Amino acid sequence: GGIITQTPKFLIGQEGQKLTLKCQQNFNHDTMYWYRQDSGKGLRLIYYSITENDLQKGDLSEGYDASREKKSSFSLTVTSAQKNEMAVFLCASRPGQGASVFFGKGTRLTVV
Amino acid sequence: QQKVQQSPESLIVPEGAMTSLNCTFSDSASQYFAWYRQHSGKAPKALMSIFSNGEKEEGRFTIHLNKASLHFSLHIRDSQPSDSALYLCAVTGTGGYKVVFGSGTRLLVSP
């Protein structure tokens, strides 16, 4: 089996600050995802990457940048943190089309 | 843009009852349909999935898909308190890579 590691687990930033969340997977999966989950709600897709160096915008990409320089890692940058985006950010990966998505444990973002 | 919606938002059922959860989607060319379960404070985990119209059963869980009506559902037979969780449906679009989730149904099974 493999694992998806997200760092940090908790991130506190100031309003307007640029913040970076990191994700590493050792499944050797091609496709990776970033989702945002507001408290008790569903998942909203921010960015996904089909393979190394590929980036695709999700439905919630405004205010975020992403980077996939290696197959095993996928990072997300909040370009200017806002108080209304306090949430848990979930990284996920998938071996290919038609397969289930595996999730990391999340990064909880607090903006003060 | 794919729209995925779930109903109901929340549900309370007694232990031993049948639970039915619903998911509708907007893109009729969607390829892959799945249910995930998320216990409080944990990451979502895949429960089961289906590709083509019809029904699939795994233990107490059954998934139904009707692409023509843009609807799929999850049925839990003999619901247990351990089934209490947030249930998320997920749809993979035409390209085969973009996975869109619904807003979730919170299930509470009362002992």
Side-chain angles (χ1 to χ4, degrees), chain A:
Chain A
I3 191 167
I4 297 175
T5 303
Q6 292 188 237
T7 54
K9 286 185 181 176
F10 300 94
L11 181 56
I12 301 175
Q14 296 197 322
E15 203 165 15
Q17 192 176 0
K18 185 174 174 179
L19 302 165
T20 299
L21 292 68
K22 293 188 182 295
C23 177
Q24 293 269 345
Q25 53 101 356
N26 63 2
F27 285 106
N28 200 34
H29 288 170
D30 285 314
T31 309
M32 295 187 75
Y33 302 84
W34 276 107
Y35 290 93
R36 172 177 150 178
Q37 185 172 34
D38 293 351
S39 182
K41 306 284 187 186
L43 309 183
R44 290 190 283 172
L45 181 63
I46 306 172
Y47 268 96
Y48 65 106
S49 167
I50 295 170
T51 189
E52 185 178 330
N53 292 318
D54 174 74
L55 288 175
Q56 307 284 336
K57 290 185 178 181
D59 302 326
L60 194 67
S61 61
E62 191 171 331
Y64 302 95
D65 287 326
S67 172
R68 180 106 184 264
E69 292 171 356
K70 289 193 301 184
K71 186 175 181 179
S72 61
S73 66
F74 192 28
S75 61
L76 180 73
T77 298
V78 181
T79 55
S80 176
Q82 302 299 314
K83 286 192 177 175
N84 63 3
E85 67 190 328
M86 292 198 292
V88 175
F89 290 80
L90 291 165
C91 176
S93 70
R94 190 190 201 194
Q97 296 170 287
S100 295
V101 176
F102 292 82
F103 285 88
K105 294 185 176 181
T107 292
R108 182 174 294 277
L109 173 65
T110 302
V111 182
V112 296

